[in-house]
Amino acid sequence: MSLTLGLVAAAILTWSCGNNQPKNEGEKPKEQQETTQANAQEAVNKGLNASFKDINGKTVSLASLKGKVVVMNFWATWCPPCIKELPSLQKLSTELANEKDIVFMAIEVDQDIEKAAQFMAKNKYTLPLFTLDSQLPEELASNSIPVTVILAKNGDIVGKQVGMMDFGSEKLKQGLIDLTKENNK
């Protein structure tokens, strides 16, 4: 999918919380070196099986989101790059609020959704907030945050960014809109 490269290219990596930092200037972390195409194909073959719980205790599975473009952002309240990118994620979510086929998920990774909800309310973020409700598939997992994963309508992983991302990119916004127009396979 050529759009995959466009979405990933639209992302701007600056830094992340975790241990995937490059050892040498110019050297990319292993997770960034690997393309997500192999992971996406593997995920399609076995299906991404994960579920998340919202602040009200409602469970949402990835299977239930098929037919939608899904933007998942894994973050924590203690993570400086996570906090730094949230305003641009909030803005993108607001700008695309009328796109019924795009779902945003702010997934807090500390399993303390109450604390995350307080943080979101304090900062006036309205992103849909979730916490893990199942084991996270390997294709979505990382040892660093923030992580953003974008799923196409058919459930394929079309982008995975480990580290901070610029959600203000017009290429990313248009790429998400374009993904809504693609047929399910």
Side-chain angles (χ1 to χ4, degrees), residues 16-100:
S16 65
C17 293
N19 60 3
N20 76 331
Q21 294 301 310
K23 292 182 176 91
N24 301 316
E25 192 64 36
E27 178 184 333
K28 292 184 179 181
K30 182 180 177 189
E31 290 170 325
Q32 285 180 271
Q33 292 173 354
E34 299 171 0
T35 66
T36 59
Q37 288 181 329
N39 289 346
Q41 188 57 49
E42 184 179 323
V44 168
N45 292 341
K46 67 181 183 181
L48 284 177
N49 187 15
S51 61
F52 307 91
K53 194 171 281 192
D54 71 12
I55 189 69
N56 299 313
K58 179 183 174 193
T59 299
V60 174
S61 69
L62 289 181
S64 72
L65 296 174
K66 279 209 172 174
K68 306 275 185 191
V69 174
V70 182
V71 179
M72 296 183 287
N73 182 259
F74 296 88
W75 69 285
T77 59
W78 51 263
C79 168
C82 299
I83 293 166
K84 188 171 182 176
E85 76 176 359
L86 277 173
S88 70
L89 179 59
Q90 174 66 50
K91 183 177 180 200
L92 179 63
S93 172
T94 301
E95 289 174 355
L96 295 177
N98 292 330
E99 294 288 335
K100 62 181 174 54

